[in-house]
Amino acid sequence: EAQVTQNPRYLITVTGKKLTVTCSQNMNHEYMSWYRQDPGLGLRQIYYSMNVEVTDKGDVPEGYKVSRKEKRNFPLILESPSPNQTSLYFCASSLAGTGGYEQYFGPGTRLTVT
Amino acid sequence: SQQGEEDPQALSIQEGENATMNCSYKTSINNLQWYRQNSGRGLVHLILIRSNEREKHSGRLRVTLDTSKKSSSLLITASRAADTASYFCATDGDSGYALNFGKGTSLLVTP
């Protein structure tokens, strides 16, 4: 089944404790991206990757890191999480970018930073 | 940057009625997409309309695009309780790598 998976689905952590949210797709997609969703703010793009070893910042990249060492995986790293990073995070992938391509979303990761 | 703005923010209708949601955006686009999100879950792609298209249909969905007014509308005909969800429009620009979502319209369909 074609899908985007994220782990963990729920995470409660404390300020400053490094964490990684994994994202994996099995569709051989070139493009992957991360979003955060907050009430009243909608979805905002954090980072995206056009292909292996090629990443770029979205609208809200501060406090986040990403890497794309393999085509299928695009982990999101919070090296020193803060409470303002409490949010619902989504990973998405598509064949090649956003220009006219359907985005496939993962189920989401709900992160709480205390 | 947030480009699309959906209107209304919330919509409540009864089963069988039609639901219309609007999306306005600020700068020129190449494509506009609509997504559905059931509560707290991942977004699901509904339909994509290109800037040179004016209308597109998919099942009970009808999307229009007016580039002169920088607006799009999503019509769901003969709505069902299962259509209860949030609906987002998303626009892309020249880069082809950024997708800008609106804040969504929350649709409630009651039996």
Side-chain angles (χ1 to χ4, degrees), chain A residues 62-87:
Chain A
E62 295 77 22
Y64 304 95
K65 281 178 59 176
V66 292
S67 68
R68 186 95 180 271
K69 299 190 188 315
E70 304 166 283
K71 199 170 187 179
R72 63 182 293 126
N73 297 322
F74 189 45
L76 179 69
I77 302 156
L78 284 73
E79 296 217 322
S80 184
S82 63
N84 65 12
Q85 292 178 299
T86 291
S87 187

Side-chain angles (χ1 to χ4, degrees), chain A residues 3-4 23-33 35 68 71-72 91-97 101-106, chain B residues 35:
Chain A
Q3 59 182 352
V4 178
C23 172
S24 183
Q25 50 90 7
N26 63 359
M27 295 168 278
N28 202 35
H29 283 169
E30 288 190 354
Y31 177 88
M32 298 183 75
S33 61
Y35 297 86
R68 186 95 180 271
K71 199 170 187 179
R72 63 182 293 126
C91 179
S93 73
S94 75
L95 202 57
Y101 294 99
E102 170 183 351
Q103 305 297 304
Y104 292 79
F105 281 81
Chain B
Y35 288 82

Side-chain angles (χ1 to χ4, degrees), chain B residues 13-108:
Chain B
I13 59 174
Q14 291 192 312
E15 268 190 328
E17 294 181 336
N18 296 341
T20 300
M21 289 158 265
N22 303 297
C23 169
S24 59
Y25 56 92
K26 295 174 185 168
T27 60
S28 63
I29 60 168
N30 294 321
N31 306 278
L32 186 143
Q33 303 182 42
W34 284 91
Y35 288 82
R36 183 187 77 230
Q37 182 183 32
N38 292 93
S39 181
R41 297 191 178 178
L43 281 75
V44 174
H45 181 264
L46 294 175
I47 201 163
L48 180 151
I49 187 166
R50 303 187 189 282
S51 60
N52 61 355
E53 297 175 310
R54 291 296 165 258
E55 189 170 312
K56 209 159 180 182
H57 296 256
S58 176
R60 293 185 295 114
L61 306 180
R62 173 178 167 251
V63 167
T64 61
L65 179 64
D66 187 336
T67 53
S68 67
K69 294 182 179 177
K70 293 187 171 59
S71 68
S72 173
S73 68
L74 170 67
L75 168 67
I76 304 174
T77 60
S79 62
R80 305 165 183 167
D83 294 327
T84 293
S86 292
Y87 292 83
F88 296 87
C89 66
T91 56
D92 61 16
D94 292 333
S95 75
Y97 294 113
L99 199 59
N100 302 307
F101 283 85
K103 296 178 184 178
T105 291
S106 178
L107 173 66
L108 174 64

Side-chain angles (χ1 to χ4, degrees), chain A residues 41-53:
Chain A
L41 296 177
L43 279 90
R44 293 178 292 168
Q45 192 174 47
I46 303 171
Y47 268 96
Y48 60 89
S49 169
M50 295 78 87
N51 214 324
V52 175
E53 302 290 6

